[in-house]
Amino acid sequence: MKSLIAYSILLLFFQPVVAQQAWTLQQCLETGMKNTPDFQLRQLDILSAETTHRSPIMEYLPQVSVNGQHSYSIGSTIDPATNTRVSSNIQSDNFSLSAGMDLINFNVFTVARRNKIAVLKAKADKEATAAEYSLSILENFYNIIYTQDLLKIQLTQFENAKFNLARIEKEVEIGSRPKSDLYDMQVSYAQEDNAITTTTQLLYNQKLTLLQLVNVTDTTPDGIVLQHTLPTQFAGANFATLLENGYKNYPKIQSAQLAAEVARKEVTMKKNNNLPVLSAFYTYSSFYYLPLNQPGAPNVAPFFTQLDNNKNHYIGAQLSIPVFNGLRNHRDVQLARLEYDKRNIETEQEKIKLRQTIEQETAKHEQNLLLATKLEDTRAFAQKSFETTQSKFRSGIIEAITFSASKNQLLTAEYNLLKAKVTTEYTALKLQFLAFNTFTD
C-alpha cells in the first residue's frame, strides 16, 4: 500500500513539470485544415472546375486544322488510245487547310452557365467538407475539455484521500480507530486511484485521436493541453432564427442547391439537342502528282507550279436539323429531369437534417442551462454535507464508510455539474456554427 501511495504522489508531482502547449479550438481548426489532404483535394476540384469554365465566345472560335498526305499508287491501267495495259505508278501529295465554326448553337451558352455554376458548387463542396470537419473537431475538442476538467476534480479530491488515509493509519496504530475504518479508507483510496488512472488513459487516447484528426505528428498527447473557448453570446437565439440563418449559411445546403442548379442546366442541354445547329466551313486544298517509271510520260510541272495550278477553295454553311434518332433525345431529357428531381430531394433532405440537428441541440442547450443552475445548488449542498461529515469523521463520531459515501456524493455532484456546463458550452458553439458557419459572433 505504501508503494502505491508513493507512486501516486510521484505521478502527481511529475505531471506539472511536463512542458505542454496550450491549444485553442481555432488553432486546432487552422492546423487541421492546413494538414489534412481532404482540403487539398477539394481545392484541386475547384481548380479543375475553373479550368473547365470559360467564356462562350471561346466556343465560337473556329477550329482550324492543316492536313497533308503523301501516297503512292502502284499498278496498271488501260490506255484508251492504244487499248493496251500501261504502267500507272504515281506519287501524289495532297495539302489542305480547313476551318469550321458554329454560327448558331443553343448549347454553347447553356454549357457555359452550367460550368459557371459547377465552379460555385466545387467551392461549396469544399466549404461543406470544412464544415463537417469543424464539427468533428469541435466534438473531439470538448470531449477532451470535459476529461481534462474531470481529471482536475479527481486529483483535487485525491489529495484529500491521501491525507485521510495517512491520518487513519496513524489512528489505527495508536488504537483510536478500528481496523475496519482503515480497510474502508484503503478501498476508497484505491478506487479513486483507479479512477484517476482510467481518466488519464482516456485523456491520452482522446488527445491522440485529436492529433491524428489534425494530422500532427511532431507532438505527443502529453505535450498538449486544451483551453476553454470563450462563451459565445449566441446562446440565447431562438430556434426559428437559428433555422432561418442555417438555411442561408450552412454549406451542405448550399452545395445541394447548386447541384440542383447544375442538374437543371443539364436538362436544358438535353433539350437543346433537339434544336438546329448552323455552322460554317472553309477548306483550301491543292495537290502535286508525279508519274513514276513511265516511258514517254509527258513533262510534269514543278512542285510549286502544280500547287498553284491545282489550288481549290471550298466554302459553305451547314444547317443540321434533328428529325429522328430513335427517341434517344426524349429518353435523355427524361433521365436528366429525374436527376434534377433527385437533386431537389437531396436539398430537402439536407434541410431536414439541419432542422432536426438544430432542434436537438437547442433542446440540449436549454435543458443543460437549467440543469446547471440546479446542479450548482446540489453541489453547494453536497459540499456543506461533506464538510460536516468530514468534521464528524475526524472527531470519530462516524465511520469511514459513511465518510466515503458523503465524499462520493460530492464527487457525483461535481461530475454532473461539470458535464452540464461543458455540454452547454459545446451546444452553444455548435448552434452558432450551424447557423452562421463560424464559431465566432
Side-chain angles (χ1 to χ4, degrees):
M1 190 66 191
K2 291 182 179 180
S3 61
L4 178 62
I5 296 175
Y7 170 76
S8 300
I9 294 175
L10 180 62
L11 177 64
L12 292 176
F13 278 96
F14 176 74
Q15 284 182 342
V17 178
V18 178
Q20 290 183 314
Q21 301 175 16
W23 282 17
T24 64
L25 176 62
Q26 190 62 32
Q27 287 174 318
C28 293
L29 291 172
E30 292 174 356
T31 302
M33 291 185 182
K34 181 176 65 176
N35 295 340
T36 304
D38 283 349
F39 300 104
Q40 300 171 18
L41 292 174
R42 297 289 81 77
Q43 185 61 38
L44 291 176
D45 289 340
I46 294 174
L47 293 176
S48 177
E50 289 176 341
T51 303
T52 302
H53 171 60
R54 61 179 187 170
S55 170
I57 303 301
M58 301 293 290
E59 300 298 333
Y60 279 107
L61 294 178
Q63 298 182 16
V64 181
S65 62
V66 177
N67 305 294
Q69 179 181 339
H70 179 77
S71 62
Y72 295 93
S73 176
I74 301 174
S76 60
T77 186
I78 300 296
D79 185 349
T82 62
N83 197 30
T84 59
R85 184 170 293 279
V86 295
S87 174
S88 179
N89 299 331
I90 300 174
Q91 170 192 327
S92 62
D93 297 280
N94 295 275
F95 305 95
S96 66
L97 171 67
S98 300
M101 61 181 292
D102 289 337
L103 299 179
I104 300 176
N105 188 334
F106 295 95
N107 252 343
V108 168
F109 288 96
T110 305
V111 170
R113 295 189 190 100
R114 189 273 310 270
N115 292 341
K116 183 177 181 180
I117 297 173
V119 174
L120 299 177
K121 182 182 180 302
K123 293 179 179 179
D125 287 343
K126 182 181 178 181
E127 289 297 319
T129 301
E132 291 296 309
Y133 181 78
S134 298
L135 290 175
S136 179
I137 288 286
L138 178 68
E139 182 178 359
N140 281 268
F141 188 90
Y142 270 90
N143 284 337
I144 296 174
I145 287 291
Y146 172 74
T147 308
Q148 280 184 171
D149 291 349
L150 179 63
L151 183 59
K152 290 178 183 178
I153 294 174
Q154 290 175 337
L155 291 174
T156 300
Q157 293 298 330
F158 195 60
E159 290 295 326
N160 179 277
K162 287 190 298 181
F163 173 81
N164 285 313
L165 179 60
R167 183 172 176 274
I168 292 298
E169 286 178 338
K170 293 180 180 178
E171 291 180 355
V172 169
E173 288 179 0
I174 62 177
S176 61
R177 284 272 185 182
K179 278 194 174 183
S180 61
D181 279 355
L182 177 60
Y183 297 150
D184 291 337
M185 191 60 65
Q186 286 173 336
V187 170
S188 177
Y189 179 91
Q191 288 175 338
E192 290 188 40
D193 185 58
N194 292 337
I196 289 174
T197 301
T198 300
T199 304
T200 302
Q201 292 174 346
L202 175 62
L203 181 60
Y204 182 93
N205 293 334
Q206 289 175 337
K207 289 182 179 179
L208 180 60
T209 299
L210 179 64
L211 289 175
Q212 291 174 342
L213 195 57
V214 299
N215 196 25
V216 171
T217 58
D218 58 354
T219 303
T220 64
D222 291 330
I224 62 172
V225 61
L226 303 190
Q227 291 183 339
H228 276 269
T229 302
L230 293 177
T232 177
Q233 300 299 318
F234 185 67
N238 59 49
F239 173 74
T241 303
L242 293 172
L243 190 59
E244 179 184 358
N245 287 285
Y247 284 163
K248 292 188 298 184
N249 300 315
Y250 197 57
K252 291 197 73 174
I253 291 179
Q254 296 174 355
S255 176
Q257 290 172 336
L258 289 169
E261 283 298 307
V262 171
R264 187 168 67 87
K265 292 300 179 184
E266 294 282 354
V267 174
T268 304
M269 288 169 57
K270 297 301 181 183
K271 288 181 177 180
N272 288 345
N273 288 334
N274 293 319
L275 301 177
V277 175
L278 178 63
S279 58
F281 57 87
Y282 168 77
T283 302
Y284 170 85
S285 64
S286 186
F287 67 90
Y288 166 81
Y289 81 96
L290 174 65
L292 302 176
N293 300 324
Q294 297 185 25
N299 292 331
V300 177
F303 179 79
F304 288 103
T305 301
Q306 286 197 44
L307 290 183
D308 184 58
N309 294 337
N310 297 328
K311 63 186 178 182
N312 180 61
H313 299 276
Y314 185 67
I315 187 170
Q318 176 178 307
L319 178 64
S320 176
I321 302 176
V323 177
F324 181 75
N325 67 349
L327 299 178
R328 294 183 182 87
N329 282 353
H330 178 71
R331 177 203 60 192
D332 292 343
V333 170
Q334 286 184 319
L335 290 174
R337 283 175 174 167
L338 290 174
E339 288 298 318
Y340 176 57
D341 292 339
K342 286 168 63 177
R343 300 291 87 79
N344 282 328
I345 292 174
E346 288 174 357
T347 300
E348 291 304 314
Q349 279 184 324
E350 292 299 332
K351 288 183 177 181
I352 291 172
K353 289 179 183 177
L354 181 65
R355 177 180 59 79
Q356 292 175 345
T357 302
I358 291 179
E359 194 172 21
Q360 291 172 357
E361 298 304 323
T362 301
K364 290 179 185 178
H365 183 73
E366 294 174 352
Q367 290 166 359
N368 280 277
L369 275 176
L370 177 62
L371 184 61
T373 302
K374 293 182 176 296
L375 289 174
E376 285 279 9
D377 296 335
T378 302
R379 191 201 63 81
F381 296 149
Q383 179 67 37
K384 293 178 180 178
S385 174
F386 173 71
E387 291 172 355
T388 302
T389 303
Q390 185 170 241
S391 298
K392 293 178 179 179
F393 177 67
R394 289 177 178 174
S395 302
I397 300 176
I398 61 174
E399 297 178 346
I401 190 170
T402 304
F403 170 77
S404 297
S406 178
K407 183 177 181 180
N408 290 336
Q409 189 177 45
L410 174 60
L411 286 174
T412 299
E414 290 181 336
Y415 294 164
N416 291 336
L417 177 60
L418 172 63
K419 185 176 181 180
K421 286 184 174 180
V422 171
T423 302
T424 301
E425 189 174 327
Y426 166 74
T427 52
L429 286 169
K430 187 173 182 179
L431 288 170
Q432 168 77 23
F433 188 84
L434 291 173
F436 295 104
N437 197 35
T438 179
F439 289 117
T440 58
D441 295 325

